[in-house]
């Protein structure tokens, strides 16, 4: 046994010493050898110059990727095909020209491609992904000047398996793809003709698609469960296509056609697609085409699934002649779209048709829509009102957008509740009675503006985050998981638990934590297909069950409370899946880092408290949980009258004197509110009205906490300003300084 332990210790020491090597190479043969011999954490630097075709096969691990990068940014260039195999490798700052391209071969998992430049590549595809490629991230890259047949990015999904691909493409610039005639010339193609059966869970967000004229599909989703959001499609002949797949989402995209002849918006076939908060302007062809089908829920090769249960909600259509075309491609079969919902859209056209019915849809629901400027093209259904929407041109991040003007009927004009729609196309919070169309009036703040060329591509990547402090990056910890079909994965600086049922778990070991009292904060990654989980520390429950679900994936700091360690040593943090939100489609958990901050005997000496993480109750009216600005803000009370109260309990505050502050969200229907501490007024009445819909910090006054314990903070409605239409109050954060 002693010999075995000795050997293990020597192996661990050797692995540690070898894990941070830097290897310099100057040609493809040296690169291939260096990757084959690399240890997790090694960095391989490519000297300036041309590199020929080569297959590289390396394996890092989730805590230490093998990094392959240009010694000088974009100084190394591939003129031949680079084939990737292995796992946990990162390519950075490399150029691809001529015959240069990236192809993957099995096995290929957990790859990061960042700050790359593809320019005029002559291979059929710029990036070709093998059917079994998993968890590949493409970020801050430029793909441009394609002049031949083939896709810029093609995912040849042809075989079924139980693990989704989970690609993540963000902050890339795709531009200048000339017209082609052979077909299959998409900018991004997810899957082939048999893809509807494959649940891929890919995410494409914050990308700029510009001057892409190769064919009618810029992005072709021929697989299921993909999310395409927050992108800009500008001056493109093609559009976004949902076909050969189900449950795809288009959220908060900007389709700017620039009146290009033949330009398109979206093509839809299949089940349960969602088209929400998008902005369509000056598109020449049909904006949204819903195809006929030959079968219900088709997944067979070459099938044409009927459109069922599509939701087209809170979109704005401006300057186009044919907005929604029902029964497009009647040659695909006799089954017309059925059971779809068209709600709270603004249709503003110069001429043409808002609704074009080649065949009459079956059992559609219309509500809250505004149409103006041209004939409807069909009998006006109940739920579509012909009235001028009163929009005004507003410049946001260099784009001219038509947004509701003062007095617009779109303001507070939405029908239905649609609780899952919590923000608008610019990231502003939707609360109370929502506005019709993509944007909430008056569209100020705009935390998620449409991207421009200065936001994307290899020259715009943010610097690495600063280090320091008692922070444990999860990718640097020892971790394990349990459950029947769990998979651990991630991209770069995060770890994901791909769970499939209650009871699955992931456990992180924090090494050599000193004895003492700590406040715990966990930065988690929220997803559309996420679960709920309970944290235990060394086997004991810590804090309450946390929900990882959101309709807009983001990093969310999770305050897990305080803990006291009696002895110094390793501490285990286990997260066990307990269930999922009713709106979620899975049980996935994502993690970024764990922070331990020295506490004060278990009591908290003040600080900043996110409203959504506190215990709260409505008095006189129900509390309204409504995430604002990507789940940073928190709707705290949909107040209806004077004396309604929202009450927060801040746990275990150390005795002392504090300045009470709050970040509030102001609205056009905001009320007047009085801050209170333990029932007593603090400071003056504050006004929640100005129509901005953005965080507004204010200082209430001083409070004296006589003894350590829970602190109760209230905000009581006392009235409203003359210009306000309601009594609403909303709290983002409460601060004790």
């Amino acid at each position: 046994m002693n010999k075995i332990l000795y050997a293990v210790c020597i192996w661990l020491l050797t692995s540690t010493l070898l894990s941070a090597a830097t290897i310099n190479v100057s040609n493809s043969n040296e690169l291939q050898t260096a990757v084959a011999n690399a240890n997790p954490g090694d960095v391989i630097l490519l000297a300036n110059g041309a590199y020929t075709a080569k297959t590289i096969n390396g394996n890092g691990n989730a805590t230490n990727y093998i990094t392959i990068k240009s010694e000088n940014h974009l100084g190394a260039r591939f003129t031949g095909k680079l084939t990737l195999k292995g796992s946990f490798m990162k390519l950075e700052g490399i150029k691809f020209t001529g015959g240069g391209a990236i192809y993957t071969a099995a096995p290929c998992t957990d790859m990061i491609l960042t700050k790359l430049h593809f320019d005029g590549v002559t291979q059929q595809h710029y990036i070709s992904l093998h059917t079994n490629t998993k968890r590949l991230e493409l970020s801050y890259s430029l793909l441009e000047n394609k002049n031949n047949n083939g896709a810029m990015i093609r995912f040849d999904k042809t075989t079924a398996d139980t693990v989704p691909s989970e690609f993540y493409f963000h902050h890339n610039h795709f531009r200048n793809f000339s017209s082609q005639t052979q077909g299959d010339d998409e900018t991004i193609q997810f899957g082939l003709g048999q893809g509807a059966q494959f649940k891929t869970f890919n995410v494409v967000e914050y990308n700029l698609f510009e001057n892409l004229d190769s064919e009618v599909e810029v992005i072709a989703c021929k697989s299921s469960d993909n999310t395409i959001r927050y992108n800009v499609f500008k001056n493109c002949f093609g559009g976004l296509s949902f076909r050969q797949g189900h449950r795809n989402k288009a959220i908060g995209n900007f389709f700017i056609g620039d009146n290009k002849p033949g330009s398109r918006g979206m093509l839809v076939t299949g089940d349960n697609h969602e088209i929400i908060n998008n902005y369509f302007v000056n598109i020449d062809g049909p904006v949204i085409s819903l195809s006929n089908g030959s079968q219900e829920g088709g997944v067979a090769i070459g099938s044409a699934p009927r459109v069922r249960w599509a939701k087209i909600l809170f979109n704005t259509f401006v300057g186009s002649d044919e907005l929604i075309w029902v029964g497009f491609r009647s040659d695909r079969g006799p089954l017309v779209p059925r059971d779809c919902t068209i709600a709270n859209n603004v249709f503003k056209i110069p001429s043409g048709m808002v609704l074009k019915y080649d065949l009459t849809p079956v059992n559609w629901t219309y509500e809250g829509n505004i149409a103006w400027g041209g004939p409807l093209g069909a009998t006006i259904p109940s739920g579509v009102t012909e009235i001028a929407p009163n929009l005004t041109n507003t410049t946001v991040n260099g784009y001219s957008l038509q947004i509701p003007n003062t007095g617009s009927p779109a303001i507070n004009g939405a029908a239905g509740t649609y609780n899952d729609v919590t923000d608008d196309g610019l990231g502003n919070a939707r609360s109370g009675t929502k506005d019709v169309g993509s944007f909430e009036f008056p569209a100020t703040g705009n935390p998620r503006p449409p991207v421009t060329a200065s936001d994307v591509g290899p020259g715009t990547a943010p610097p690495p985050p600063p280090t320091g402090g008692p922070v444990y990056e999860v990718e640097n910890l020892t971790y394990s998981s349990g459950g029947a079909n769990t998979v651990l994965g991630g991209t770069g600086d995060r770890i994901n638990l791909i769970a499939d049922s209650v009871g699955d778990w992931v456990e992180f070991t924090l090494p050599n934590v000193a004895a003492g009292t700590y406040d715990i904060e966990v930065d988690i990654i929220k997803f559309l297909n996420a679960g709920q989980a309970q944290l235990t520390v060394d086997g004991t429950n810590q804090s309450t069950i946390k929900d990882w679900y959101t309709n807009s994936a983001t990093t969310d700091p999770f305050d897990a409370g305080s803990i006291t360690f009696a002895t110094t040593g390793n501490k285990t943090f286990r997260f066990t899946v307990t269930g999922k939100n009713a709106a979620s489609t899975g049980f996935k958990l994502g993690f970024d880092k764990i922070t331990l901050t020295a506490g004060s005997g278990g009591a908290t000496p003040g600080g900043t408290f996110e409203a959504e993480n506190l215990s709260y109750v409505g008095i006189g009216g129900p509390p309204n949980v409504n995430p604002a600005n990507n789940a940073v803000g928190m709707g705290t009370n949909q107040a209806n009258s004077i004396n309604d109260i929202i009450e927060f309990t801040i746990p275990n505050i150390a005795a002392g004197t504090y300045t009470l502050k709050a970040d509030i969200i102001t609205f056009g229907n905001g009320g007047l509110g009085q801050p209170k501490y333990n029932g007593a007024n603090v400071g003056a009445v504050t006004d929640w009205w100005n129509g901005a819909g953005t965080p507004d910090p204010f200082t209430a006054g001083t409070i004296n906490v006589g003894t350590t314990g829970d602190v109760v903070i209230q905000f009581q409605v006392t009235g409203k300003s003359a210009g306000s239409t309601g009594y609403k109050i909303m709290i983002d954060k409460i601060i004790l300084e």
Side-chain angles (χ1 to χ4, degrees), residues 14-27:
T14 304
S15 298
T16 301
L17 292 173
L18 293 176
S19 65
T22 299
I23 302 102
N24 292 279
V25 301
S26 59
N27 59 59

Side-chain angles (χ1 to χ4, degrees), residues 271-304:
D271 295 347
N272 289 299
H273 297 304
E274 296 183 6
I275 302 171
I276 302 172
N277 280 344
N278 301 283
Y279 181 74
F280 302 91
V281 60
N282 295 335
I283 292 170
D284 179 62
V287 179
I288 298 179
S289 302
L290 295 99
S291 176
N292 275 24
S294 59
Q295 58 181 282
E296 305 274 358
V299 297
I301 296 175
S303 67

Side-chain angles (χ1 to χ4, degrees), residues 186-191 215-224 226-228 233 238-250 253 255 264-270 273 275 280 287-291 328-329 332:
E186 299 93 338
T187 302
I188 298 176
Q189 179 179 343
F190 288 146
E215 64 147 83
V216 297
E217 295 173 307
V218 172
I219 301 178
C221 291
K222 301 178 183 179
S223 61
S224 298
N226 301 295
T227 299
I228 316 298
F233 299 81
L240 171 60
S241 174
F242 289 166
R243 65 184 181 96
Q244 299 293 328
H246 305 302
R247 299 176 303 280
N248 292 310
K249 301 176 188 292
N253 300 290
F255 296 83
R264 290 163 172 80
M266 293 189 62
L267 167 65
V268 179
T269 68
H273 297 304
I275 302 171
F280 302 91
V287 179
I288 298 179
S289 302
L290 295 99
S291 176
F328 170 77
R329 291 294 301 269
R332 289 179 175 266

